[in-house]
Amino acid sequence: MFTVSGNSQFGSITGTRKFLLDKQSNLVRFEGTFDNENIVAILNVQNQKLIRLYDENGTELSVTDFKGLVSELAAQYNIDLKVLALPASIATASLDGGSESKIINAEKLQKVDFNNFLGGSGSVYVNEESGMIKRIDMDNKSYIVNGYKDIGNGLVLPTIFKGSNDSISYQKVASFTEMETEKFKSF
């Protein structure tokens, strides 16, 4: 589960958004604003199927009226998850072999170039001592990473990315061992 603001790739998805994933069923619960309407949507991101849709009062809406919603929500979810899981995302991206060390803000950082990450290429800077990601450059933008959350089992994820024109912030991040299946069945 994570709650994120910033980095919206679609003008129809605004404000803070919350995603809850059930890895066993591939269902995602979205809570947020779509086309200026607060909604709760339950969708399968793997096959891009909208299962249920509710307004902010819990009234079920017709999924046929919101067919365009599912592709944008699934794409936004995938982008938000890749940024949150940045260490794993970059590990699976195509790395450009060469890397170099730089000193930035009195820290010795290892620069690693990548391709095919979030649709583009860029560089990530990792503190050589702690292994923490400190900066990411992509699409002619730089983001300084200055917030992290330990979600358990030694997994520490970067959660605050500050850019000159925009920022990405993951306010809540959690990993559950047991999923409340009713969250994927009703409002």
Side-chain angles (χ1 to χ4, degrees):
M1 185 274 300
F2 59 89
T3 303
V4 60
S5 59
N7 198 35
S8 179
Q9 301 296 304
F10 304 95
S12 57
I13 302 171
T14 56
T16 300
R17 54 201 175 273
K18 180 179 178 180
F19 291 101
L20 177 65
L21 167 69
D22 182 351
K23 288 178 101 175
Q24 291 181 341
S25 66
N26 287 316
L27 293 179
V28 170
R29 179 184 174 101
F30 166 84
E31 296 177 27
T33 305
F34 184 82
D35 282 341
N36 298 317
E37 187 174 346
N38 291 330
I39 63 164
V40 173
I42 299 169
L43 61 141
N44 185 312
V45 292
Q46 191 170 27
N47 66 15
Q48 295 208 358
K49 183 178 179 187
L50 186 58
I51 310 297
R52 288 194 170 80
L53 186 67
Y54 304 93
D55 68 12
E56 64 186 315
N57 298 317
T59 304
E60 191 161 3
L61 304 172
S62 170
V63 295
T64 55
D65 295 340
F66 290 87
K67 286 293 182 189
L69 164 83
V70 72
S71 62
E72 290 183 7
L73 281 183
Q76 186 67 55
Y77 167 78
N78 285 321
I79 289 167
D80 289 340
L81 185 60
K82 280 184 182 180
V83 172
L84 177 62
L86 192 57
S89 299
I90 289 183
T92 61
S94 300
L95 300 178
D96 285 345
S99 65
E100 60 185 80
S101 290
K102 284 188 168 188
I103 296 183
I104 300 175
N105 294 332
E107 280 187 288
K108 188 173 183 183
L109 303 177
Q110 185 77 27
K111 176 186 174 192
V112 179
D113 297 323
F114 58 83
N115 289 320
N116 301 322
F117 175 70
L118 297 174
S121 61
S123 302
V124 65
Y125 296 82
V126 179
N127 181 296
E128 291 183 357
E129 292 178 16
S130 68
M132 302 294 257
I133 295 171
K134 295 296 191 167
R135 178 174 146 178
I136 183 168
D137 295 341
M138 64 182 181
D139 299 329
N140 298 318
K141 294 181 186 176
S142 285
Y143 294 94
I144 302 299
V145 181
N146 65 356
Y148 302 88
K149 290 204 175 159
D150 183 343
I151 65 165
N153 295 325
L155 185 57
V156 178
L157 299 176
T159 56
I160 298 176
F161 302 82
K162 294 204 180 255
S164 58
N165 296 329
D166 59 349
S167 296
I168 307 165
S169 177
Y170 292 84
Q171 297 89 358
K172 293 181 184 178
V173 179
S175 177
F176 304 110
T177 55
E178 289 188 35
M179 185 58 58
E180 296 178 53
T181 55
E182 53 278 348
K183 290 278 189 184
F184 298 96
K185 294 179 182 172
S186 65
F187 182 74

